[in-house]
Amino acid sequence: MPTLQELGQAVAKRRKSLGLRQGPIAALAGISPETLSRFERGHVAEFGTRKLLVVMEAVGIELQLLTPPDDDAPLP
């Protein structure tokens, strides 16, 4: 499972590859561009789920949940 820092780095890389600026993406998520910048640089201790999903969607990153084949198996 990726860390919050790794997610931020992935968002930054994708955003830059698309030529998108932080301002419009931050506005969609209801956060400041500074908060988005801190997230992308891995300088936040937490980042709300709704915000994370909006930011990821804005840059075309999809979050997938994978479950083990045996639903009774413990998670690692």
Side-chain angles (χ1 to χ4, degrees):
M1 178 179 297
T3 66
L4 189 57
Q5 182 176 5
E6 291 168 332
L7 289 172
Q9 291 169 347
V11 165
K13 183 178 179 181
R14 175 73 174 162
R15 179 184 59 74
K16 291 173 186 176
S17 75
L18 294 172
L20 299 173
R21 298 180 58 94
Q22 289 176 331
I25 294 170
L28 284 174
I31 59 176
S32 71
E34 175 60 25
T35 299
L36 179 57
S37 175
R38 292 182 67 235
F39 166 65
E40 290 183 348
R41 291 180 286 135
H43 295 165
V44 294
E46 46 185 60
F47 198 72
T49 305
R50 184 195 64 77
K51 294 171 189 167
L52 175 63
L53 294 174
V54 170
V55 167
M56 290 175 67
E57 181 179 5
V59 297
I61 295 177
E62 182 178 299
L63 181 66
Q64 293 184 348
L65 300 176
L66 304 175
T67 58
D70 179 4
D71 290 334
D72 293 329
L75 295 175

